[in-house]
């Protein structure tokens, strides 16, 4: 018997949880019941009307009217309760009393229906008795199932209505009363059993959800701790903003000493740590809004100041609510993300500035110029756009090496800064090209005076690795609005003036004049000479090897375009490629490069890849995909890598990404070249899954001597590894650089340390002479 009682108690219990959790479950049960309330109440009223109309001819009019009104009144009470619940906030918990109230309402409704068969089952018409029996049976089943989310309400309803029906059967003294009573009992037991099974299923689901919520909460906190590396600054506040729980680390961060932070107001402790800056005030304001919403939040950045200096905290928290949904406090985590913020800000700075000189980059310069020019014409102060080119830079690079060339560029940038005003903007546009924006100049005479001082300053030699070198620069000037009212026009005309200064011997400045046609003539000569250069065999490819830093095995070659004119000699790609793009010759030249590189690579070993640079003009061609397919047909798409710079993507981002996605799906590898030298490389990495990330040489050159450079390269390598991209370091010139890159997980390198670019006919001989074991031994000895 005790075992049976225990089994019964287990069956008639929907869930086994603590009281706080049970209160939330009860609220969910009542919520589920309320969803059926409107339909159920309407059905009750309709059934009452149908019964009254059907039985009306048998008399008992007073009973039928009174009974129908009672049913309607109970239905109205139920609908009123439903409407009231709709107008109030969703209940987070419900008391046992609320459930008892539901049970009582179900019992009263069942009692009202139980009166009907007792009063009407004795009618003489057997068809009407059958009708009453069917209605009663239907109400038992329908009501029992509708109330199943609150099983005691369902049980009470079925027992009361079933009892009333049983009394009616007994009063009718029917020949088959016993059989009918047995069937009624069976039906009632089945309905009650099904209601409890449904309730237990609901309880199991609610229990699983509660357990999952608790697990998710714990897992979320653990994951945040792991991801932020310092998210062990745990805290808890009560409703009065007093600290309830403070971890030892937070206690140290708050610098409360031996005082009990639990007796201190949060604002009183944090106020001395507030930083008086626009960024900090905005962050504190955002945090107050988060608390005011009384909703969970995460990763809210807050600048603070303590004994360690300025720090950055990432705050995450959730509100603590009582059974009635009232706020009782907050519990959360404060993670010190200062190091991540410093790195992110450094990367952001690099996106807007030149990494070598610290000056703003081309894109930032253009944005500043466009912003200045966008002022209303009557309000815009005059501005001078100055383009500068460092004379003799190529000779410094060739004779003293790239490291000396970098120092030369840095010295030139510093000399420009020291000879300009704080209101002016100095930028490095790329290579040895610089630009200055002089705001608010009175006219050309003021610009001349400033440029005279600059040229005089440049005469002072600078020390480059013990060599005293003189800085010389050709300078071109365009004035706004006299020479143009948009950024492109001003930069173009300043560039024309710069070339005029170069043609005049350099180390001087020239103001733009419409008569300056020398640059245009040179460009026209290059354009004319380029016509048919492919057909005449003047273009050729050279190949720079890429080597694995792990095995020292050659993994591939980058194809580089060269032009040797029969009269003018070697012409730099930096000079003729822009002309080719501007005059529409690049599609033909680019297709030749693609076909020629794949043709020569087909003779190489099958595990050696070829990397081919692609211009913006090529990528925008409608048949570019077909060109790639045709070129790689005899080689295999998996051995070809297309290199693009972010400037290629900037010109037509959506179409470019779509084209690259198609090529990548067909097996072509896609590399992002010169990473970090432009404005928005990070955004393109987010939009497109590159296979290879080529680290610009400006990040590599200081690896052996600059800890900041090491941190940046480590960050870039970690990002490439996380995004499953192969990292290739460009411009590696020393063994120390190679070792540092290898120790930090860089996969490939290229540069003068491996080899200068190799003529196509010499590639096979170069690979045959390359012995990885010998190279590895030489690297170890160096």
């Amino acid at each position: 018997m005790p075992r049976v009682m225990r089994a019964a108690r287990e069956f008639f219990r929907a869930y086994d949880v603590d009281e706080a959790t049970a209160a939330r479950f009860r609220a969910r049960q009542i919520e589920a019941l309320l969803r059926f309330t409107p339909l159920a109440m309407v059905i009750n009223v309709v059934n009452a009307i149908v019964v009254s109309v059907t039985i009306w001819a048998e008399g008992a009019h007073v009973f039928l009217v009174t009974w129908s009104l009672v049913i309607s009144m109970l239905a109205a009470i139920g609908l009123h309760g439903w409407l009231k619940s709709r107008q109030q906030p969703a209940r987070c918990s419900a008391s046992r009393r609320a459930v008892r109230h539901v049970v009582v309402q179900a019992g009263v409704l069942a009692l009202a229906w139980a009166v009907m068969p007792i009063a009407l089952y004795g009618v003489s018409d057997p068809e009407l008795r059958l009708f009453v029996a069917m209605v009663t049976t239907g109400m038992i089943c329908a009501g029992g199932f509708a109330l199943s989310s609150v099983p005691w309400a369902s049980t009470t309803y079925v027992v009361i209505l079933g009892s009333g029906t049983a009394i009616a059967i007994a009063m009718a003294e029917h020949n088959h009363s016993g059989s009918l009573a047995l069937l009624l009992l069976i039906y009632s037991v089945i309905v009650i059993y099904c209601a409890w099974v449904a309730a237990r299923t609901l309880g199991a689901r609610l229990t699983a959800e509660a357990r999952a919520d608790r697990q998710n909460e714990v897992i979320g906190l653990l994951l945040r701790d792991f991801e932020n590396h310092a998210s062990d600054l745990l805290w808890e506040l009560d409703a009065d903003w007093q600290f309830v729980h403070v971890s030892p680390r937070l206690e140290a961060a708050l610098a409360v000493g031996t005082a009990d932070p639990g007796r201190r107001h949060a604002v009183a402790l944090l106020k001395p740590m507030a930083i008086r800056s626009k960024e900090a005030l905005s962050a504190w304001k955002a945090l107050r809004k988060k608390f005011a919403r009384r909703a969970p939040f995460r990763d809210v950045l807050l600048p603070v100041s303590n004994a360690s200096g300025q720090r950055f905290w990432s705050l995450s928290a959730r509100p603590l609510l009582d059974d009635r949904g009232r706020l009782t406090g907050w519990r959360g985590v404060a993670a010190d993300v200062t190091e991540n913020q410093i790195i992110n800000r450094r990367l952001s700075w690099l996106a807007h500035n030149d990494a070598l000189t610290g000056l703003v980059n081309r894109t930032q310069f253009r944005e500043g110029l466009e912003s200045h020019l966008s002022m209303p014409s009557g309000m815009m102060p005059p501005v001078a756009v100055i383009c500068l080119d460092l004379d003799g830079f190529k000779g410094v690079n060739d004779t003293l090496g790239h490291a000396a060339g970098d120092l030369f560029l840095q010295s030139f940038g510093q000399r420009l800064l020291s000879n300009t005003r704080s209101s002016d903007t100095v930028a490095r546009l790329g290579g040895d090209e610089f630009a200055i924006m002089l705001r608010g100049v009175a006219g050309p005479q003021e610009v001349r005076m400033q440029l005279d001082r600059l040229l005089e300053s440049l005469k002072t030699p600078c020390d480059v690795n013990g060599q005293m070198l003189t800085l010389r620069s050709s300078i071109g000037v365009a004035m706004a609005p006299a020479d143009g009212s948009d950024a492109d026009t001003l930069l173009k005309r300043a560039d024309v003036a710069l070339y005029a200064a170069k043609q005049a011997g350099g180390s001087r400045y020239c103001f733009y004049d419409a008569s300056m046609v020398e640059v245009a003539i040179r460009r026209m000569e290059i354009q004319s000479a380029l016509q048919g250069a492919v057909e005449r065999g003047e273009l050729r490819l050279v190949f720079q090897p890429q080597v694995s830093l792990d095995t020292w095995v050659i993994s591939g070659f980058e194809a580089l375009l060269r032009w040797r004119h029969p009269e003018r000699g070697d012409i730099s790609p930096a000079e003729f490629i822009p002309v080719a793009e501007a005059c529409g010759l690049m599609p033909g030249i680019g297709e030749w490069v693609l076909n020629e590189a794949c043709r020569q690579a087909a003779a190489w070993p099958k595990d050696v890849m070829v990397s081919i640079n692609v211009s913006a003009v090529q990528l925008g061609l409608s048949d570019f995909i077909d060109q790639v397919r045709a070129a790689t047909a005899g080689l295999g798409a998996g051995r070809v890598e297309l290199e693009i710079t972010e400037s290629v993507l900037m010109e037509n981002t959506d179409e470019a990404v779509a084209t690259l996605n198609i090529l990548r799906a067909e097996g072509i590898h896609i590399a992002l070249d010169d990473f970090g030298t432009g404005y928005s490389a990070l955004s393109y990495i987010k939009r497109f899954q590159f296979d290879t990330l080529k680290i610009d040489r400006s990040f590599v050159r200081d690896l052996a001597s600059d800890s900041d450079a090491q941190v940046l390269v480590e960050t870039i390598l970690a990002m490439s590894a996380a995004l499953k991209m192969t990292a290739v370091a460009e411009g590696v010139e020393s063994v120390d650089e190679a070792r540092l890159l290898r120790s930090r997980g860089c996969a490939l390198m290229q540069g003068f340390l491996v080899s200068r670019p190799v003529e196509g006919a010499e590639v096979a001989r170069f690979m045959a002479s390359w012995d990885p074991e010998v190279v590895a031994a030489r690297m170890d000895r160096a």
Side-chain angles (χ1 to χ4, degrees):
M1 192 63 182
R3 188 175 301 173
V4 173
M5 294 298 295
R6 281 198 303 271
R9 283 196 298 269
E10 285 294 322
F11 180 81
F12 290 104
R13 181 163 57 188
Y15 39 74
D16 185 14
V17 294
D18 59 80
E19 179 55 28
T21 305
R24 293 198 299 271
F25 287 5
R26 289 193 290 267
R28 294 284 297 276
Q29 288 177 285
I30 294 175
E31 179 185 358
L33 177 62
L34 287 172
R35 285 199 292 267
F36 292 98
T37 296
L39 178 62
M41 295 303 101
V42 169
I43 290 175
N44 272 270
V45 174
V46 171
N47 283 353
I49 293 172
V50 171
V51 169
S52 298
V53 171
T54 304
I55 307 296
W56 189 262
E58 292 294 320
H61 295 162
V62 174
F63 168 78
L64 290 173
V65 171
T66 303
W67 176 76
S68 297
L69 289 175
V70 169
I71 295 296
S72 300
M73 180 183 68
L74 293 174
I77 292 173
L79 288 172
H80 177 265
W82 174 76
L83 288 172
K84 187 177 179 181
S85 69
R86 295 274 293 179
Q87 296 170 355
Q88 295 176 347
R91 300 177 63 177
C92 297
S93 61
S95 64
R96 295 178 183 274
R97 180 181 177 184
V99 175
R100 286 197 294 270
H101 184 68
V102 172
V103 173
V104 170
Q105 285 183 316
V108 172
L109 183 62
L111 186 62
W113 276 100
V115 172
M116 186 269 293
I118 295 175
L120 301 179
Y121 196 81
V123 296
S124 58
D125 188 346
E127 291 183 357
L128 290 179
R129 284 201 301 272
L130 177 61
F131 170 78
V132 170
M134 289 181 62
V135 170
T136 305
T137 303
M139 291 302 296
I140 290 174
C141 296
F145 286 117
L147 293 166
S148 61
S149 62
V150 184
W152 281 115
S154 175
T155 302
T156 302
Y157 177 91
V158 172
V159 169
I160 293 176
L161 184 52
S163 299
T165 307
I167 293 172
I169 292 173
M171 292 173 58
E173 297 182 353
H174 194 279
N175 291 336
H176 302 289
S177 296
S179 300
L180 292 175
L182 179 61
L183 289 175
L184 178 64
L185 175 63
I186 293 173
Y187 295 157
S188 298
V189 169
I190 291 174
V191 172
I192 292 172
Y193 176 82
C194 291
W196 277 96
V197 169
R200 286 167 61 86
T201 301
L202 176 62
R205 181 167 62 85
L206 294 176
T207 301
E209 289 178 359
R211 186 181 299 112
D213 288 342
R214 287 194 296 270
Q215 291 174 346
N216 288 337
E217 182 179 354
V218 173
I219 291 172
L221 289 173
L222 291 175
L223 284 176
R224 299 178 60 74
D225 182 75
F226 174 77
E227 293 169 353
N228 296 325
H229 301 289
S231 58
D232 54 345
L233 303 180
L234 306 177
W235 54 270
E236 184 175 338
L237 302 176
D238 61 18
D240 297 323
W241 292 85
Q242 300 283 344
F243 275 110
V244 176
H245 170 74
V246 179
S247 68
R249 286 180 59 85
L250 181 57
E251 187 174 324
L254 293 173
V256 295
T258 57
D260 183 4
R263 305 298 181 185
R264 302 281 295 278
H265 197 278
V267 176
L269 286 173
L270 292 174
K271 188 174 181 180
M273 304 177 68
I275 300 174
R276 296 186 180 275
S277 69
K278 185 176 180 181
E279 178 191 15
L281 291 175
S282 176
W284 284 94
K285 185 177 180 180
L287 181 61
R288 285 196 296 270
K289 288 182 178 180
K290 294 288 187 181
F291 278 116
R293 291 174 184 168
R294 296 189 175 186
F297 61 84
R298 59 179 298 171
D299 298 332
V300 176
L301 191 66
L302 186 67
V304 296
S305 178
N306 57 21
S308 302
Q310 182 174 345
R311 312 296 295 175
F312 292 92
W313 287 357
S314 176
L315 299 182
S316 301
R318 64 180 181 86
L320 303 177
L321 307 175
D322 62 11
D323 292 343
R324 298 184 181 181
R326 294 177 301 187
L327 182 70
T328 61
W330 291 84
R331 182 180 298 143
V333 173
D336 190 329
V337 294
T338 305
E339 292 184 4
N340 289 340
Q341 278 298 305
I342 291 174
I343 292 175
N344 290 337
R345 292 185 179 212
R346 175 63 176 168
L347 289 174
S348 177
W349 182 88
L350 288 171
H352 295 80
N353 295 268
D354 175 58
L356 176 63
T357 62
L359 305 175
V360 301
N361 60 17
R362 178 185 292 272
T363 305
Q364 186 75 356
F365 183 83
R366 280 180 56 87
E367 287 182 356
L369 180 57
E370 289 172 349
S371 175
H372 185 92
L373 296 174
S374 65
M375 298 182 186
S377 56
M379 298 176 59
M380 184 189 79
V383 62
V385 176
I386 303 172
C387 287
L388 307 95
D389 188 90
L390 192 52
D391 297 338
F393 173 69
K394 185 176 185 299
V396 173
N397 252 353
D398 291 343
T399 57
L400 301 180
H402 290 295
D406 290 343
L407 289 176
F408 201 47
L409 291 172
Q410 290 172 340
S411 298
F412 185 67
Q414 289 302 314
R415 201 71 60 91
L416 295 181
L417 284 174
S418 63
N419 285 275
T420 51
R421 305 164 299 181
S422 60
S423 59
D424 302 331
T425 301
V426 181
R428 182 189 177 206
L429 303 183
D432 62 343
E433 298 177 15
F434 292 77
I436 302 174
M437 179 168 51
L438 299 180
R439 294 180 174 87
V441 291
Q445 187 58 37
E446 183 179 347
V447 178
R448 287 189 179 95
M449 293 173 59
Q450 190 154 341
L451 292 179
D452 286 336
R453 289 194 298 269
L454 173 60
L455 289 174
E456 187 65 28
S457 171
L458 293 178
K459 292 179 181 178
T460 303
C462 64
D463 186 353
V464 176
N465 290 337
Q467 297 282 338
M468 301 305 294
L469 304 177
T470 300
L471 296 164
R472 301 176 69 253
S473 176
S474 299
I475 305 171
V477 184
M479 301 291 296
D483 296 328
S485 57
D486 63 272
D488 287 333
T489 300
L490 288 169
L491 286 169
K492 186 183 298 182
R493 291 182 174 177
D495 196 49
V496 168
L498 181 149
Y499 276 98
K502 262 191 182 304
Q503 292 293 325
S507 192
R508 67 188 65 208
Y509 58 82
C510 287
F511 282 77
Y512 171 77
D513 186 272
S515 63
M516 293 177 177
V517 295
E518 289 85 351
V519 173
I521 292 175
R522 170 66 175 171
R523 289 175 179 264
M524 289 178 62
E525 290 176 347
I526 291 176
Q527 178 179 342
S528 176
L530 270 175
Q531 301 282 351
V534 173
E535 291 77 7
R536 293 191 299 269
E538 295 175 7
L539 299 182
R540 74 185 195 283
L541 295 180
V542 294
F543 299 88
Q544 185 165 46
Q546 297 175 340
V547 176
S548 168
L549 279 163
D550 186 30
T551 63
W552 303 108
V553 171
I554 296 174
S555 64
F557 290 83
E558 179 180 359
L560 302 173
L561 180 62
R562 296 292 184 264
W563 179 25
R564 178 168 294 170
H565 191 271
E567 297 176 0
R568 297 180 178 87
D570 290 332
I571 300 176
S572 169
E575 186 177 9
F576 72 79
I577 287 179
V579 175
E581 290 179 339
C583 66
L585 295 175
M586 201 61 218
I589 294 175
E591 186 175 6
W592 177 85
V593 170
L594 186 64
N595 289 326
E596 181 66 11
C598 291
R599 184 189 68 79
Q600 295 196 38
W604 303 344
K606 293 184 178 180
D607 58 345
V608 177
M609 295 184 61
V610 60
S611 297
I612 306 168
N613 290 278
V614 175
S615 69
V617 176
Q618 286 178 269
L619 198 60
L621 296 174
S622 60
D623 63 342
F624 179 66
I625 295 176
D626 293 332
Q627 290 183 16
V628 175
R629 288 169 177 165
T632 59
L635 177 64
R639 291 181 58 195
V640 177
E641 181 173 73
L642 301 182
E643 294 189 14
I644 63 170
T645 62
E646 61 174 286
S647 60
V648 173
L649 291 173
M650 286 175 67
E651 295 199 7
N652 206 345
T653 303
D654 293 336
E655 289 77 0
V657 169
T659 299
L660 294 176
N661 277 324
I662 293 174
L663 292 173
R664 190 169 185 270
E666 295 184 6
I668 301 291
H669 296 258
I670 308 297
L672 179 59
D673 198 10
D674 300 334
F675 174 75
T677 59
Y679 174 68
S680 50
L682 293 175
S683 65
Y684 296 122
I685 287 178
K686 183 178 179 182
R687 293 192 60 177
F688 181 77
Q689 178 62 51
F690 291 93
D691 298 289
T692 304
L693 184 68
K694 302 199 73 175
I695 304 173
D696 187 69
R697 64 174 305 276
S698 61
F699 292 91
V700 176
R701 68 178 179 277
D702 295 329
L703 270 179
S705 59
D706 189 345
S707 59
D708 289 342
Q710 294 177 15
V711 171
L712 288 172
V713 170
E714 287 175 358
T715 303
I716 294 172
L717 290 173
M719 180 183 66
S720 64
L723 297 176
K724 298 180 180 179
M725 294 186 292
T726 300
V728 180
E730 297 181 299
V732 180
E733 297 184 0
S734 70
V735 174
D736 288 340
E737 291 172 354
R739 286 173 177 169
L740 285 169
L741 288 166
R742 182 183 184 184
S743 67
R744 283 155 177 78
C746 185
L748 303 174
M749 73 168 181
Q750 65 183 81
F752 288 174
L753 178 63
V754 177
S755 172
R756 291 179 178 275
V758 179
E759 295 290 340
E762 299 298 321
V763 169
R765 185 181 303 172
F766 177 84
M767 285 191 290
S769 64
W770 183 268
D771 188 333
E773 294 182 0
V774 173
V775 174
R778 188 174 73 241
M779 291 295 176
D780 291 337
R781 290 194 303 270

